[in-house]
Amino acid sequence: DLLTPNGVRDSEKVSGVSREQIRLLESDHLAALNRLCVRLVFCLYAEDADIFPKDCFKRLVEASDARRLRIDLQRLFHTLDTPTDKRDPYLEPELCAFPYTNGGLFRNAAANDIPPLTEEIRKLLIGASQFDWRDITPTIFGALFESTLNPVTRRAGGMVYTSVENIHKVIDPLFLDDLTRRVGAAIQKGDKRTLLALQAEMAALTFLDPACGSGNFLTETYICLRRLENRIIAALQKGQSEFDLGLSVKVSIAQFHGIEINDFAVSVAKTALWIAEAQMLRETAEILHREPDYLSLKDYDGIVEGNALRMEWGDLISRGGAETRKVYVIGNPPFSGARWMGKEQKTDVLELFGKDWQGVGDLDYVCCWYKKAMDFMGGRVSSRADSAAGASRPPLRCAFVSTNSICQGGAVANLWKPLFAQGLEIDFAHHTFRWDNEAFDKAHVHCVIVGFHAGGSPSSATVKTIFDGDRAIPATHINGYLMDAPDVWIESRTKPLCDVPEMGIGNKRLFPMFPPFHTDCGKNTKIGKRVFINAGCQFQDQGGITIGDDVLIGPQTIIATLNHDPDPDKRGGMFAKPVIIGNKVWLGARVTICPGVTIGMVRLSALERLSQRMPHRGRSSPEYRQKS
């Protein structure tokens, strides 16, 4: 009810106000509430991390009441954004205690950014201040952000938060393992010249996450790079104090860039990086026996709001102006499947790939980021600044988390075959693993990770590696199916390879099926309309298999129509019984259906084995609900 004046949501109740104006008003107020949440979190952290005087924010809230709290917070934000020498000389002591905090976090904090606050909210703020925010992990903001999304919003945007463990599956083989090894070797040798060169190299790296969400990839990468720099600083200083921390610290959050379509996520990502910067500065100060000067915050515009597929990535990177020796593009792009994309997402796919791209209608949304990255790495000029200056781009490598569908079935030929022809080369890959993170009500997907480059060998000489669970397998060449094998493309075809009848969908004679697929005969299988068969299925159809309409068959499903006699003395013989699968059946992964089984409307879960008749069950029946 706080999002519109007087809680009115029906435009017909407001004279002269259109429904579209109400929608825009709600959007503006929601953005303001998002900014308020981020500012409050920073205040809670700052008073525990010695950026603000201890408990000064808590005391301000306690001294206020619900009716006055809104005004007090407005005045606080204005004070934080005002340099000390420009403040009102008669400012109350409780506000004077707060230092100047620039960097844009509290800039333009308008009066209407804060709605009327209740006593319940005031007590919640006081309770939150009891928590020690000093050592909070900045990447936890990603879990909080995903948990605030309703399932519809999350699915529509393909938004999935990345855990620290999964981030390291990307950044470790991409650059961090090699850099850590070289720093460790230089420290062991006591090679000061090499250490200084490594620190300069780290300060010249640039990172871009073109779907950064709440900034977890950028934040964790920054923390790892700064901790590696702190090891160099400790080795160089050898316990001596440094007069100016700025002379020792070279790595900056200005090296980190992101693009995100959600405005709240942009605010969360900036705050997470600011907090990470403060934490790393504190660790450096402890090494140098100095008191850190956290404030004022540096102006930071490295994370921008927008559609990454409609922006020039090079323009964002060129903003920093500093020398860039290497660029790493990392991230976890949206996971919207080809059949689940919205209108704007489908438009993005068509504009990026073009209508003549083979199988463009079957490409998942995440494929756009591979194409965009390839355009960025390839022969095209990626930024107006580069074009004007005639500059050559620095070496660039990429690694993305994606749904495993991009490395299965027809998607491999549709996506990877043209990109490989343009010079793309996979450097490392993680086989399918189940996505997991700390978010409540998190998304459940199966993912792969693909690290790649284009245009010659990667600048850092690395052995190609395939990661399968805990195993790291050296590889000679990684193909589109993420296997150490030559490039082979299994493309969709409308006619069989040999002289057998076609398998079809009713009178359409075609249906989607991911290879590999095995069948004894093929001619004994009858398939209805709108059927989908996933990868790795085996149909033993000598006894006859009938599949109805609207059936989904999960990966590695086995349908058997042949069996042996249970009598040991007669076991050498075989008998056949048909399998009938009715309309709207959903078979989950690795289901086994035995000879003679008939299935009605039902969903079967993974590893389930059926050896009896299952009659039709309506959606309202208890049996259907129990199985589902």
Side-chain angles (χ1 to χ4, degrees):
D1 289 342
L2 295 175
L3 298 181
T4 57
N6 302 318
V8 176
R9 295 181 182 275
D10 188 347
S11 64
E12 295 175 358
K13 297 179 182 178
V14 183
S15 176
V17 180
S18 68
R19 192 178 297 274
E20 178 64 14
Q21 286 173 315
I22 289 289
R23 187 190 67 78
L24 293 173
L25 184 60
E26 289 184 349
S27 177
D28 290 342
H29 278 262
L30 182 58
L33 287 174
N34 291 339
R35 291 192 296 270
L36 173 62
C37 290
V38 172
R39 287 163 176 162
L40 291 174
V41 168
F42 183 84
C43 290
L44 291 166
Y45 168 79
E47 68 174 357
D48 285 340
D50 300 326
I51 298 175
F52 295 169
K54 182 65 176 173
D55 292 335
C56 63
F57 180 71
K58 176 187 173 184
R59 289 194 299 269
L60 183 143
V61 176
E62 287 177 335
S64 185
D65 57 42
R67 291 175 300 175
R68 203 176 74 244
L69 183 57
R70 176 174 179 266
I71 302 300
D72 288 343
L73 289 177
Q74 291 172 3
R75 297 186 67 208
L76 170 64
F77 296 162
H78 177 72
T79 300
L80 290 169
D81 193 47
T82 305
T84 305
D85 60 349
K86 296 182 180 179
R87 292 179 180 177
D88 182 352
Y90 303 105
L91 191 66
E92 294 89 333
E94 57 267 25
L95 289 175
C96 285
F98 289 89
Y100 171 45
T101 310
N102 78 339
L105 182 58
F106 296 97
R107 186 176 300 152
N108 300 323
N112 59 3
D113 275 2
I114 306 176
L117 302 174
T118 64
E119 180 63 20
E120 180 183 8
I121 294 175
R122 191 184 76 90
K123 289 180 178 179
L124 284 172
L125 279 175
I126 294 172
S129 65
Q130 306 293 336
F131 176 75
D132 186 359
W133 295 76
R134 179 185 177 94
D135 295 316
I136 187 174
T137 303
T139 53
I140 200 65
F141 285 113
L144 297 174
F145 173 65
E146 184 182 349
S147 298
T148 64
L149 299 173
N150 66 63
V152 175
T153 301
R154 185 174 62 201
R155 182 161 196 170
M159 300 175 183
V160 182
Y161 151 71
T162 314
S163 67
V164 172
E165 177 186 2
N166 287 330
I167 290 170
H168 278 275
K169 289 179 181 177
V170 172
I171 65 175
D172 286 358
L174 182 65
F175 78 95
L176 192 59
D177 283 344
D178 175 67
L179 195 56
T180 302
R181 176 187 58 79
R182 290 190 287 142
V183 168
I187 290 175
Q188 188 173 15
K189 292 179 181 179
D191 188 341
K192 183 176 180 180
R193 179 178 298 179
T194 300
L195 288 173
L196 289 171
L198 284 168
Q199 188 180 23
E201 177 184 335
M202 291 161 59
L205 299 179
T206 297
F207 298 88
L208 170 66
D209 184 345
C212 70
S214 53
N216 278 23
F217 266 96
L218 298 174
T219 302
E220 180 62 20
T221 303
Y222 170 78
I223 289 173
C224 292
L225 206 62
R226 279 286 287 111
R227 284 189 171 144
L228 203 55
E229 183 183 35
N230 279 343
R231 290 181 59 192
I232 294 176
I233 292 172
L236 292 173
Q237 297 297 323
K238 296 180 180 180
Q240 299 178 9
S241 63
E242 176 67 59
F243 181 75
D244 185 352
L245 285 178
L247 297 177
S248 294
V249 178
K250 307 298 182 185
V251 175
S252 164
I253 60 173
Q255 298 169 233
F256 294 80
H257 306 271
I259 306 172
E260 171 54 37
I261 203 166
N262 183 288
D263 66 322
F264 183 36
V266 171
S267 299
V268 171
K270 288 183 178 181
T271 304
L273 271 169
W274 270 321
I275 290 176
E277 183 181 40
Q279 289 180 337
M280 292 304 100
L281 192 58
R282 189 180 72 202
E283 291 185 13
T284 306
E286 290 173 356
I287 293 171
L288 301 177
H289 310 292
R290 295 282 301 167
E291 285 295 325
D293 180 14
Y294 299 112
L295 299 175
S296 47
L297 298 176
K298 298 179 178 67
D299 282 311
Y300 178 56
D301 61 354
I303 299 177
V304 299
E305 179 185 350
N307 184 338
L309 302 179
R310 303 181 185 183
M311 300 174 67
E312 293 291 348
W313 295 0
D315 289 340
L316 183 61
I317 288 177
S318 63
R319 283 185 183 184
E323 179 188 2
T324 297
R325 297 180 185 173
K326 296 178 184 176
V327 177
Y328 293 104
V329 181
I330 55 180
N332 173 13
F335 286 0
S336 297
R339 303 296 178 263
W340 294 97
M341 286 188 287
K343 183 178 179 180
E344 289 190 6
Q345 292 173 327
K346 291 178 180 178
T347 300
D348 287 340
V349 174
L350 285 174
E351 288 187 357
L352 192 61
F353 285 92
K355 63 180 181 178
D356 295 329
W357 189 282
Q358 179 178 334
V360 65
D362 295 323
L363 293 173
D364 289 354
Y365 195 43
V366 70
C367 297
C368 293
W369 273 258
Y370 287 88
K371 176 65 164 59
K372 186 78 172 178
M374 192 61 189
D375 291 345
F376 186 32
M377 288 189 288
R380 303 183 184 183
V381 175
S382 63
S383 80
R384 289 183 289 273
D386 287 347
S387 178
S392 60
R393 290 189 300 279
L396 191 153
R397 296 180 66 192
C398 294
F400 290 140
V401 181
S402 309
T403 45
N404 60 1
S405 60
I406 69 166
C407 296
Q408 297 177 350
V412 176
N414 292 342
L415 174 66
W416 295 109
K417 185 178 181 180
L419 296 185
F420 273 45
Q422 295 176 23
L424 184 145
E425 189 172 340
I426 297 177
D427 302 317
F428 67 91
H430 280 266
H431 280 166
T432 298
F433 61 95
R434 182 174 177 177
W435 195 249
D436 203 6
N437 60 52
E438 294 88 355
F440 175 76
D441 191 28
K442 57 197 171 190
H444 297 284
V445 288
H446 290 80
C447 298
V448 295
I449 292 173
V450 183
F452 59 99
H453 75 280
S457 301
S459 55
S460 176
T462 56
V463 177
K464 295 183 186 299
T465 307
I466 298 174
F467 297 93
D468 189 1
D470 295 330
R471 296 187 302 156
I473 307 168
T476 303
H477 174 78
I478 303 175
N479 67 16
Y481 297 93
L482 305 189
M483 300 181 67
D484 184 6
D487 294 328
V488 177
W489 312 108
I490 303 175
E491 301 183 67
S492 63
R493 49 186 303 125
T494 59
K495 296 184 179 298
L497 290 170
C498 53
D499 186 20
V500 296
E502 294 183 35
M503 298 175 71
I505 305 178
N507 60 358
K508 292 185 179 179
R509 310 298 295 167
L510 297 171
F511 66 95
M513 177 175 67
F514 288 169
F517 172 80
H518 302 279
T519 181
D520 288 353
C521 302
K523 65 180 181 180
N524 298 323
T525 299
K526 298 179 180 179
I527 297 180
K529 301 175 183 178
R530 297 176 299 278
V531 172
F532 170 71
I533 300 176
N534 215 321
C537 292
Q538 300 183 49
F539 288 8
Q540 186 190 56
D541 69 339
Q542 294 183 43
I545 297 173
T546 301
I547 299 174
D549 299 338
D550 301 299
V551 174
L552 301 177
I553 299 178
Q556 301 183 47
T557 292
I558 297 175
I559 302 178
T561 62
L562 294 177
N563 208 347
H564 295 272
D565 197 297
D567 186 341
D569 296 331
K570 303 178 182 179
R571 194 159 293 165
M574 298 184 69
F575 59 87
K577 290 184 178 180
V579 169
I580 300 173
I581 300 173
N583 297 337
K584 299 184 179 179
V585 170
W586 176 10
L587 305 180
R590 302 183 68 184
V591 168
T592 298
I593 301 177
C594 295
V597 170
T598 297
I599 304 173
M601 184 190 299
V602 72
R603 185 189 81 176
L604 303 181
S605 58
L607 298 177
E608 189 155 3
R609 177 188 175 99
L610 289 186
S611 56
Q612 76 266 10
R613 178 181 175 86
M614 297 189 68
H616 172 84
R617 295 167 176 171
R619 290 183 179 272
S620 60
S621 68
E623 293 89 352
Y624 182 88
R625 291 197 299 270
Q626 184 176 3
K627 274 290 177 185
S628 296

